[in-house]
Amino acid sequence: MSLILTRGLPAIEILVDEGIDVIFEQDYILNKNKYKKIAILNLMPIKIDTELDLLRRLDKSGGDLLIDFINISTRKSSRVCNEYTSDFYKTLEDIKDTNYDGVIITGAPVEQMEFEEVDYWDELKDIIDFSKTNSKSTLYICWAAQAGLYKDYNIKKHPLEKKCFGVFEHKVNKDSKIVENFDELFFAPHSRHTTIDINDIKNNSELNLVSYSDKAGAYIIANTRDIYVMGHSEYAKETLDKEYKRDIEKEVEIEIPINYYPEDDPFREPEVKWKEHSELLFKNWINNYLI
């Protein structure tokens, strides 16, 4: 399979070095029978790291994927970030007449704010509505999952006493195409300060609690077309390590991520327990929902 990307995207060089086949969109003969088209709304501040995390997972789907990266237009961040996204990202206005097979909406570092306090909340709601009419399925990740559940089902998020941070064991709760071929027990990373009440999911007839963790709570929630993932299965091996050491440097109170470092020693190389499940989750989404 190949990833079809915009020429010049900095992540391309790293992907190619890792042996991932990349074709430039400008050089690709666009045959709708041969590829699927996915829009990724990247709300994370470190754009390239998130691009790499997601593209590595999407590469395992088994087919050609054309990727458009989308950016919020109503919020301006650093000058460098603005220049980067203007070169490589599209806005809702750019894609409003485009149909996609799937849309992915990432997490964002705003989870401790009320949704209505987020300066791009109205635009995010418009993008969610767009995804419902212009794609077959939307995959929401972490804060985006909470945002999507709040917007469409009025399911509120709740602050945690301490950050849910580490790699947690999960159970498959209900049969679903998104967990096809999953082991009964599997691992996934979480990194968040808020959660939702599992009972709010169980009491909603339109939603299914597909997977959960005894310690981390709800993990995968699904309706007939969309998938809400409360954790970060896309995370690379070193991502939690970077987050932990970043907070230590900033003198932010943070505990060692659970079940991540051998013997909880942050000077040792982290253990990756979630890669196989993560690749399978994205593969199942693409092959079972984008059809």
Side-chain angles (χ1 to χ4, degrees), residues 243-256:
E243 291 184 6
Y244 172 69
K245 291 176 179 174
R246 175 201 64 201
D247 284 352
I248 292 295
E249 289 179 1
K250 292 181 177 180
E251 298 183 349
V252 174
E253 185 176 346
I254 184 71
E255 295 185 2
I256 292 173

Side-chain angles (χ1 to χ4, degrees), residues 136-137 176-178 225 227 284-285 287-291:
K136 299 170 184 175
S137 177
S176 170
K177 293 181 293 184
I178 195 65
R225 75 177 301 276
I227 306 298
N284 285 344
W285 180 63
N287 294 328
N288 293 335
Y289 289 81
L290 310 190
I291 55 178

Side-chain angles (χ1 to χ4, degrees), residues 145-155 196 201 207 221 228:
Q146 297 182 9
L149 290 169
Y150 177 71
K151 175 191 176 297
D152 289 334
Y153 299 100
N154 197 32
I155 291 176
I196 58 173
I201 305 301
L207 298 171
I221 300 148
Y228 305 84

Side-chain angles (χ1 to χ4, degrees), residues 27 31 33 38 40 58 87 94 167 176 195-196 208-209 221 237 254 262 272 276 280 285 287:
D27 299 336
N31 184 331
N33 295 322
I38 296 174
I40 300 176
L58 292 170
D87 288 338
D94 297 326
V167 182
S176 170
T195 191
I196 58 173
N208 285 318
L209 179 64
I221 300 148
K237 176 180 182 178
I254 184 71
V272 180
E276 182 177 350
L280 191 52
W285 180 63
N287 294 328

Side-chain angles (χ1 to χ4, degrees), residues 118-267:
V118 176
D119 55 8
Y120 53 82
W121 177 242
D122 287 339
E123 185 176 359
L124 177 59
K125 290 191 294 182
D126 289 341
I127 292 173
I128 291 173
D129 289 338
F130 164 86
S131 74
K132 294 182 185 303
T133 58
N134 290 60
S135 76
K136 299 170 184 175
S137 177
T138 306
L139 175 62
Y140 301 85
I141 297 173
C142 198
W143 177 80
Q146 297 182 9
L149 290 169
Y150 177 71
K151 175 191 176 297
D152 289 334
Y153 299 100
N154 197 32
I155 291 176
K156 296 177 172 59
K157 60 185 175 72
H158 306 283
L160 292 165
E161 291 184 4
K162 64 178 182 178
K163 185 177 183 179
C164 179
F165 190 45
V167 182
F168 298 87
E169 186 178 73
H170 298 75
K171 302 174 183 178
V172 174
N173 185 56
K174 287 188 178 181
D175 289 337
S176 170
K177 293 181 293 184
I178 195 65
V179 290
E180 188 173 88
N181 297 320
F182 271 43
D183 292 329
E184 185 177 343
L185 298 176
F186 62 93
F187 290 92
H190 289 256
S191 177
R192 50 187 168 81
H193 294 274
T194 55
T195 191
I196 58 173
D197 188 336
I198 281 182
N199 290 319
D200 288 340
I201 305 301
K202 292 180 177 179
N203 293 333
N204 191 303
S205 61
E206 296 183 33
L207 298 171
N208 285 318
L209 179 64
V210 176
S211 174
Y212 71 97
S213 165
D214 289 333
K215 294 183 178 180
Y219 177 52
I220 301 175
I221 300 148
N223 60 26
T224 55
R225 75 177 301 276
D226 297 328
I227 306 298
Y228 305 84
V229 179
M230 295 291 292
H232 281 287
S233 67
E234 81 283 0
Y235 268 7
K237 176 180 182 178
E238 67 278 0
T239 305
L240 290 176
D241 179 66
K242 287 181 179 179
E243 291 184 6
Y244 172 69
K245 291 176 179 174
R246 175 201 64 201
D247 284 352
I248 292 295
E249 289 179 1
K250 292 181 177 180
E251 298 183 349
V252 174
E253 185 176 346
I254 184 71
E255 295 185 2
I256 292 173
I258 293 170
N259 202 25
Y260 179 58
Y261 300 112
E263 298 179 354
D264 289 335
D265 183 352
F267 294 100

